[in-house]
Amino acid sequence: MLQEWGFESPKESMCQTATVKYTEFLLETAAGKVGGEKFPGKIVTPFEKTKIAAYTLSAIAPCMRLYNFVSKEILALLDPEESKHIYKKWLNSLSSEKFEASAGRIEVMLDKLSVSLTGEELEVVERLYHQAMKLEVEFILTQPVVNRTIAPVSQLYNSAEENLIIFCDFDLTCTAIDSSALLAEIAIVAASKADLSGGETQSSQMSSADIRMMWSNHFSQYIEEYEQCTESIMPNEAVKGLDYEGLSKAVEQISNFEKRANSRVIDSNLLRGLNLTDIIRAGEHLTFQDGCKQFFKDLMKSETCATDFHVLSYCWCDDLIKSAFSSGDLCVPNVHSNCLVYEESISTGNMIQKLESPMDKLGVFNDITKGSTNDSKPLTVYIGGSVGDLLSLLKADFGIVFGLSDSLTKLGSRFGISFVPLFSGLVNKQRELDVSGCLNLIGSSGVLYTVSSWDEINTFILGAKQVPPY
C-alpha cells in the first residue's frame, strides 16, 4: 500500500512517543485493563465480552471520526487542479464515503453494545472516548513543523517587546449581555430600594416604575433611530472593492447619532443614584462569552507572547469593565471607555465622555499604534462585533469579527468588505507566506475574518492547546 501511494517503507523504525501512547492504550483497553480493572483469566461470559467490545470501540471510534473530518477539511482547502499533492491518495481514502461509513458502523455498534451497560460502565466508555481523542490530538500536535507558520500569530515576529497589540470590544464581544442594560437594571433596583426606604430616587417626583418606563422608552428610541441611521447611510448597490473613504463618511453619521443618544441619557439623569459598590459587584459577576476568560488567562500565562492589550468600549462606566476583568484571576487591561461621575460613591448622573463613537474608537486605535515604543511596527489584532468597530477592524493587521451581526455584515458588504472564515483565511495567508517568505500585512485590505467562538481566537493567537483531562 505504501509503495502504491508513492512512499517507501522506512528502513528504521522511528515510532514516536505519541504513537506508542495510543497503541498501548488501545491494546490495554482491548485486554480489559481499564482504570486498573483486570479480567481474571480468559474473557468468556457474554457480559464480559460485550463490555470489553464496547470499551474497545470507544477507544477506536474517535480516531476514525477525527481522521475523516480532518481529511475532508484539508481536501476542501486544496486546489482542485493540484493532482500531485503528496498526501492526495491518503486524504482521498480517509475522506471517502467508504471510510465514513466504517466510522458510522463503529459508532452504531458502540451504541448497541452500550445499551446493556450500567451507569458506571457508561462513564468508563465516555472516559475512554475522551482519552482516545486526547491521544490522537496530541499525536497531531507533536508532528514537526519545519516551515514558518502564520499561527500562532503571537510567534510570527521575534521582537522582545510589544510584538503584538490586541484591541477588543467589550459588549457582546467579551460579554454575553450588553452593559447598558445591566447599568439600567442597577439604576432601577437602586430606585426600588429608595422607594421602600422612603428615600430620594433620581428625582423626588419619580418612582422606580417611572424610571423603568423611562429606560424602556430610551432603549426603544435608540433601536428605532439606530435602524433609521444605518438604513440612511446604506448605499443602494454594493461597490466593488473596499470604499474606505465612503465608509468613513457613513460611519461619521453613526458617530453623531451615538453622541446624541448619550446626551439624552445624561440630560434625563437616568444614571443618577448608582452605587459604585453595586456596579463593581455586578461587574464581578458579569457573564462572559464562552472561552473568553480562558483566552485572557492563557494570554497572561504565555511565556512567548509579549502582548499589549486594550479594551475599547462605548460602555458608560469603565469601573464595570475593570471589575469584570479583575474577577477570576484575570489581568485588568488598558480600558478606554466612558466614566461615571460620583459623589461619595454615588453616581450624579453625569458622565465623562471619553469614547462614544466609531470615530473615537478609531482615534484611540491610531494613537496607540503610532505611540508604540517598539522600533518596528507592532502586529495588531482587533476583535469586535458591531458597526462601531468596522473602521478599526479594517485598520488592524488582522480584523476579527465575533458573532457576525446583521447590521455589520450588511453595511460592510455594501462598502466592499469581504467576510472570510478565519480558518480558510489563514490558509490563504499561509500559502502567501510559503511562496514569498513574508506576509503582506496592510491595513484596510477590505478582508475581515469571522469567528463563532473564542476558542478559534485563542488558537490563532496563542496556538493549539492540549485537550483538558476528562
Side-chain angles (χ1 to χ4, degrees):
M1 178 71 75
L2 284 173
Q3 292 177 344
E4 181 184 334
W5 285 0
F7 294 92
E8 293 294 333
S9 299
K11 296 179 180 179
E12 296 181 6
S13 176
M14 297 181 64
C15 198
Q16 292 185 342
T17 302
T19 306
V20 173
K21 282 184 179 180
Y22 178 75
T23 54
E24 288 182 348
F25 162 74
L26 188 58
L27 290 171
E28 289 180 358
T29 302
K33 301 175 183 178
V34 177
E37 179 181 8
K38 295 183 180 180
F39 290 86
K42 293 183 178 180
I43 301 170
V44 291
T45 68
F47 174 73
E48 289 174 342
K49 291 179 179 180
T50 297
K51 184 162 66 169
I52 291 301
Y55 287 173
T56 304
L57 289 180
S58 66
I60 296 174
C63 172
M64 300 284 286
R65 185 57 66 186
L66 178 65
Y67 280 11
N68 180 251
F69 170 78
V70 170
S71 298
K72 286 183 176 180
E73 291 291 308
I74 295 174
L75 277 177
L77 297 168
L78 293 180
D79 187 342
E81 298 181 1
E82 189 177 358
S83 59
K84 295 182 179 180
H85 192 281
I86 186 172
Y87 296 116
K88 191 69 175 288
K89 289 184 179 180
W90 205 300
L91 293 170
N92 286 337
S93 175
L94 294 175
S95 63
S96 66
E97 292 182 1
K98 182 179 178 180
F99 188 90
E100 185 172 11
S102 296
R105 284 194 295 271
I106 288 175
E107 292 167 343
V108 170
M109 182 60 68
L110 176 58
D111 288 341
K112 290 180 178 179
L113 294 174
S114 298
V115 170
S116 61
L117 300 183
T118 66
E120 184 176 338
E121 289 161 350
L122 288 174
E123 288 183 2
V124 174
V125 168
E126 290 183 18
R127 187 174 71 249
L128 290 171
Y129 192 102
H130 182 275
Q131 179 65 10
M133 182 65 79
K134 180 176 184 292
L135 291 171
E136 286 294 343
V137 172
E138 286 178 356
F139 167 75
I140 293 172
L141 295 181
T142 57
Q143 301 310 301
V145 178
V146 179
N147 296 341
R148 187 182 179 207
T149 59
I150 189 73
V153 74
S154 60
Q155 298 179 34
L156 194 58
Y157 296 141
N158 296 318
S159 54
E161 297 180 354
E162 291 189 358
N163 65 321
L164 176 65
I165 303 179
I166 297 176
F167 299 88
C168 188
D169 182 34
F170 184 66
D171 289 333
L172 303 181
T173 297
C174 290
T175 67
I177 63 172
D178 190 281
S179 65
S180 59
L182 180 59
L183 289 169
E185 191 59 33
I186 295 173
I188 293 168
V189 170
S192 298
K193 291 179 180 178
D195 285 349
L196 293 173
S197 65
E200 186 181 275
T201 61
Q202 277 94 327
S203 170
S204 57
Q205 283 78 39
M206 285 197 298
S207 66
S208 59
D210 293 331
I211 295 167
R212 184 178 292 278
M213 181 60 68
M214 287 181 66
W215 273 114
S216 178
N217 292 338
H218 166 76
F219 287 129
S220 297
Q221 182 179 0
Y222 177 91
I223 293 171
E224 181 181 352
E225 292 183 2
Y226 177 82
E227 290 175 349
Q228 291 173 354
C229 182
T230 53
E231 283 297 322
S232 68
I233 63 176
M234 198 79 66
N236 294 327
E237 296 181 0
V239 299
K240 293 183 179 180
L242 175 64
D243 180 10
Y244 189 84
E245 183 178 352
L247 177 63
S248 298
K249 291 179 180 178
V251 169
E252 282 183 8
Q253 296 184 46
I254 296 179
S255 294
N256 295 332
F257 157 77
E258 294 286 1
K259 291 180 179 181
R260 289 196 301 271
N262 274 354
S263 294
R264 285 200 301 268
V265 172
I266 295 171
D267 294 341
S268 61
N269 271 336
L270 281 171
L271 291 171
R272 182 183 175 189
L274 280 68
N275 192 305
L276 178 59
T277 301
D278 293 336
I279 292 173
I280 293 174
R281 185 183 300 113
E284 291 172 346
H285 293 86
L286 191 59
T287 302
F288 276 62
Q289 298 281 359
D290 289 343
C292 181
K293 279 193 173 183
Q294 188 60 51
F295 166 71
F296 291 115
K297 286 181 181 179
D298 293 343
L299 191 65
M300 284 175 57
K301 296 176 183 176
S302 175
E303 298 177 355
T304 59
C305 179
T307 307
D308 193 12
F309 171 41
H310 299 263
V311 170
L312 280 58
S313 174
Y314 295 165
C315 178
W316 295 322
C317 179
D318 60 345
D319 293 306
L320 182 71
I321 300 175
K322 292 174 182 177
S323 61
F325 277 97
S326 65
S327 64
D329 298 325
L330 291 179
C331 62
V332 178
N334 300 290
V335 176
H336 308 268
S337 186
N338 303 298
C339 309
L340 292 181
V341 177
Y342 302 96
E343 289 182 359
E344 298 182 353
S345 299
I346 303 298
S347 63
T348 65
N350 289 327
M351 183 195 311
I352 301 174
Q353 296 150 278
K354 294 182 177 181
L355 199 152
E356 302 181 276
S357 70
M359 305 310 293
D360 290 343
K361 282 192 173 185
L362 180 62
V364 172
F365 176 89
N366 288 334
D367 289 343
I368 293 170
T369 52
K370 290 177 182 177
S372 172
T373 58
N374 198 2
D375 293 335
S376 61
K377 178 183 178 296
L379 188 68
T380 55
V381 176
Y382 192 105
I383 307 162
S386 69
V387 169
D389 298 307
L390 266 177
L391 296 179
S392 300
L393 283 163
L394 289 166
K395 282 293 184 182
D397 295 317
F398 291 95
I400 299 178
V401 179
F402 181 89
L404 269 187
S405 75
D406 291 339
S407 57
L408 182 146
T409 51
K410 185 178 179 181
L411 182 66
S413 298
R414 289 292 180 91
F415 282 96
I417 297 175
S418 298
F419 295 93
V420 179
L422 178 62
F423 179 62
S424 57
L426 292 182
V427 170
N428 292 331
K429 282 291 184 183
Q430 185 63 49
R431 287 177 177 146
E432 177 186 319
L433 183 62
D434 291 340
V435 172
S436 64
C438 61
L439 285 175
N440 182 22
L441 296 176
I442 301 175
S444 305
S445 65
V447 176
L448 297 180
Y449 302 103
T450 63
V451 297
S452 58
S453 74
W454 273 90
D455 288 337
E456 294 178 73
I457 297 171
N458 200 334
T459 302
F460 165 57
I461 293 177
L462 297 176
K465 299 186 296 180
Q466 297 291 336
V467 178
Y470 180 75

